[in-house]
Amino acid sequence: TLFQVDTEGDVGKDSALALDAQGYAHISYYDTTRKVLKYAYQTAEGWYVQAVDTNVDRASDIALDSKGRPFIVYTDAALNTVKYAWNDGTSWKRGVVAESKNAVLPTVALEGMDLPHIAYYNFFEKDLMYAHFDGTAWKISHVDTQGDVGADASIAVDAKGNPHIAYVDQKLDVLKYAWFEGSAWKIVKLDTKGTVGLYTSIFLDDQQRPWVWYYEMIGNKVRYM
């Protein structure tokens, strides 16, 4: 079934999708006409659309907490810092990930305690970055610093609260995968054929095994492993 979700202006670029326990869709996306981050959600009665924040970059990502409430990450268009917005059931609350400067293309996953894990690309240092809120403060670290790495990242969190990230090495045009084993990050190359890895998406199955989807440019194909 095809739905028209939002038809007011030039809307829908750089969208991200999450499904709640009832199978209803929740979407974050960019309104090019108004330069606004927007959020649309589906119910049995239909679709509802809300404006979340202004003066934002196009890319965003969305996750749902244990109560099905949206948590969205995006970047400030002027300050290039990672911002987040969540709805507590009544209104939107917003904040900034501390020290997340020179940031673009954030991605988010929530662990069992609804604590956010965020990966993003630092375009000044050309590194893959990781931010985690431990319940008190944000902790930020470099994940991969070899070359020009971290664009088009996607993050998932396993049952132990450890992050798994798929992303692109833009210098070599290869798909890479990083995961935290509890004491250190491990990094491997997943696909080294070249011109691969854009638009990555990662999730962990019931046995905590990673599945990765990505785009291969030369063949103009979506691949998965």
Side-chain angles (χ1 to χ4, degrees), residues 5 11-18 26-31 37-38 40 58-62 199:
V5 177
V11 292
K13 288 184 172 67
D14 292 87
S15 59
L17 170 72
H26 300 250
I27 307 171
S28 65
Y29 59 99
Y30 186 63
D31 182 331
L37 172 67
K38 299 181 81 171
R58 283 175 42 165
S60 67
D61 195 22
I62 187 171
Y199 314 113

Side-chain angles (χ1 to χ4, degrees), residues 80-97:
N80 296 123
T81 57
V82 176
K83 300 181 72 175
Y84 56 93
W86 78 99
N87 195 294
D88 62 4
T90 303
S91 61
W92 286 99
K93 314 296 182 183
R94 303 174 189 84
V96 176
V97 177

Side-chain angles (χ1 to χ4, degrees), residues 66-85:
S66 57
K67 295 183 179 180
R69 299 174 301 192
F71 188 103
I72 302 174
V73 293
Y74 54 103
T75 51
D76 184 292
L79 301 177
N80 296 123
T81 57
V82 176
K83 300 181 72 175
Y84 56 93

